[in-house]
Amino acid sequence: MVLPANDAGLTTAQAAQRLAEDGPNALPGDQRRTLLGIIKETLCEPMFLLLLAAGLLYLLLGDLQEGLILLGLVLVVLALTLYQEGKTERALESLRDLSSPRALVLRDGQPLRIAGSDVVLGDILILAEGDRIPADAVLLSGTEVQVDESLLTGEPVPVSKVADVMAVQAAAPRPGGDGQAYLFSGTLLVKGHGSARVTATGARSEIGRIGTALVSLSSEPSPLKKQTASLVKVLALIALAASLFLVAAFGLLRGDWLAALLAGIALAMALLPQEFTVVLTVIPALGAWRLSKQDVLTRRIAAIETLGATSVLCVDKTGTLTENRMTVAELYVQGHKLLIDYAVTSELPERFHTLVEFSILASVAAPFDPMEKAFHRLGQHFLQDTEHLHHDWTLMQQYGLTPELRAMSHVWKAQQDQQHVVAAKGAPEAIVDLCHLDGAAQARIAAAVDAMAAKGLRVLGVAQARFEGEHWPAIEHDFEFEFIGLLGLADPLRGEIPDAVAECRSAGIRVVMITGDYPATASAIARQAQLQSTLDADAADPLLTGDAMAAMSDAELQARMQSVSICARIAPEQKLRIVQALKANGEVVAMTGDGVNDAPALKAAHVGVAMGGRGTDVAREAASLVLLDDNFASIVRAVRLGRRIFDNLRKSMSYILAVHVPIAGMALLPVLLGWPTMLFPLHIAFLELVIDPACSMVFENEPSESDVMRRPPRNVNTPLFGGLTLLLALLQGLGALAVAMGAAMWGADQLPEGGARAFAFATLVCTNLALIFSNRSRAGSLWASLWVPNRTLWIVASAALALMALALYLPWLARLFVFEPLPLLYLGAALGLGLASMFWFEAVKLGQRQTAKAASI
């Protein structure tokens, strides 16, 4: 790509001034929740409506203190909820900032990648195939630029663009026309590359004027949310029916309809698990924020559910397994080899000059591709004072890579020569094909390629041709190419890859490397990464080539992919077939990609993972996750965190289900048994002060289980509340209810009514805390989990015990709770019953572990 002469773009100061004057390059309609919006949503929750109803009812009954306390608790719970929601919204805000389109601009004469929102009027954009154009602009220079403007026009056929520096002086036409110089915000560059000057940003752009906003994070409700919504509806109907039944029974049996109404409100509050919606918002959102700290951007929150269930990871080699730091390591010309070491090699023998010269001529003048940068670096180091560097030549024609021919050619016009010089580089077999070599020559070159590829080098061939006239051939084969030689490029494996692959293996995840490289190169890198060991030792050949794949039927490919760990010489469009074959085998597939042609495979995969550094906007928009550092180890960390997030969701929601059983039972059973009422709305509001932060903040902060990466992937269709999980939650809840009811019965024989209520309430609080501690570990020992740090847990537990002590022993507060002084002996008994319930829960979990162990034998 050639930039306009003597144009260094804006300075940093100029850009900052224009950003301050014009505002960010943001479109109208950004869906951000305001504080008032969050308050409104929160107050519409059934729990808050019930609390408000209870508080107002107490006021109507003339109980000013109780009514004000209840309304005060409404404010406390509201503040707690706002804190949680605010934390969630801040996490989502960070994700929005990260997920905004990126732009490459010239600032102070240097390319700089910035957020799309920071693009300003007058910026020079550097555009490449696959980029989403961040603002309205006029094309200043470009090669074969084609743009998909269907977002604005509805027409799917891309339109061509031509450079016109003077077009910036004229008014921009409507989108959709061929041969224009105008580019429009939000459209996609589907072919070519170039530079453009920004003419309008934000609401002043074409897309801004018509009021259209790009919403890239929208998605349908996840399976987990659908499951939970159904569960909440069922429980809400149960709560309504039970509350109406209790009001009728209480009123008819005791004749006190106001007390019956309060008892009905208390039971509804006890049965309604409104915390489910909080958990499903807070834990995934904060989990996505945690993923961003691991250099993984979550564009679709629902992907977190699937991430931990991934059974196959399909990854690119270059830049994902390797460092994407290309260096020319070996040259081959007519049987002669030369190893390149910049620290040792002092000069380049003459016979290799032409090879380096034409590798540069076949590359772009200002490269961004690491491979082409390596060629330029080689030439600048060894050919700087020779006639082999041609800064004054003019690029006349280009032939790009195609699926049929993995080679590209540039046609140059020399200053004094009438002939045009043609330089080609590409896959060795493609260059050999262009040169029409005989069998013996092909065999010699193939042997040299195999020797270089066996060292893990990426091998490219280079050829040259001459051409007279201005009528360019339609295809590269019409040039008379002459083979020059081979270049071997080293791209070292990232140091952490073998450990990351081993972690995948222990987690039951198969890693499949997909690359366009030569099979021998791919195999060498796979050996270094220890990929083959992810398959059984007696498995079939783990390598599949693109040519072999093209000859297979879908059924044959499906069978073959059961034993493949290396896919070499794969064209981007073949990735889709690989994903479909793996999915047909019942695998849960995560796929990485970076190019425009990778988008279908990314979208078809259960979890599409785009490259944030070198990936195109098209790939990023099709993906569920974006790797900000393009590193495979980050995917593995994301899988670990995804499993942790799902575990914590399950722990939290199991706790919610379990804790509502004793609360509902204590609100209902004493009334039906003719005992004094044990729980009033005030008591349940107090318990909400423990339950709300416990179910979201405590469990969200839980670290990973020790075996999180030593167990096979879960079945993605397994419901959150299925089988033993649901049974365990109900058994825990019934156990806690039995303890609380036993305390109420014992207290009724030993203490006055207020004392019995205080004893039962203290026991209920302690069993609540026991449920939190017990659910920390999915199925492991409570005592082992006690040593795992979670500061939020201890803050919540300490605060709950301190507030309980105030409610029991602060006289005016005890009167509001309808308590009488509780002897310290009974307080100790309540704490002991809480500890005893822990042993009960641990016995249940031990039985679960034994059942699981027996099932695995």
Side-chain angles (χ1 to χ4, degrees), residues 400-435:
L401 291 165
T402 66
E404 296 78 24
L405 186 69
R406 296 189 184 95
M408 61 182 296
S409 301
H410 286 174
V411 181
W412 295 89
K413 175 66 175 177
Q415 291 296 95
Q416 304 298 329
D417 200 335
Q418 294 298 317
Q419 285 188 323
H420 294 92
V421 176
V422 187
K425 75 173 192 303
E429 61 268 31
I431 296 299
V432 166
D433 185 28
L434 283 176
C435 296

Side-chain angles (χ1 to χ4, degrees), residues 800-823:
L801 292 173
L803 288 173
M804 182 186 74
L806 290 175
L808 291 173
Y809 297 109
L810 197 61
W812 67 271
L813 197 54
R815 286 194 298 273
L816 287 173
F817 276 80
V818 201
F819 291 160
E820 292 184 24
L822 184 67

Side-chain angles (χ1 to χ4, degrees), residues 219-233:
S219 59
E220 66 176 19
S222 66
L224 182 58
K225 283 193 174 180
K226 291 178 181 177
Q227 290 176 25
T228 308
S230 299
L231 180 62
V232 170
K233 286 178 182 177

Side-chain angles (χ1 to χ4, degrees), residues 463-508:
Q464 64 174 329
R466 301 280 173 171
F467 182 78
E468 291 187 3
E470 300 292 340
H471 300 289
W472 315 115
I475 58 174
E476 293 167 89
H477 272 288
D478 291 340
F479 292 109
E480 295 294 330
F481 277 109
E482 174 189 346
F483 184 79
I484 300 176
L486 304 169
L487 302 99
L489 296 109
D491 185 10
L493 190 77
R494 294 179 185 265
E496 63 270 31
I497 295 303
D499 288 341
V501 170
E503 191 170 13
C504 285
R505 185 163 56 250
S506 68

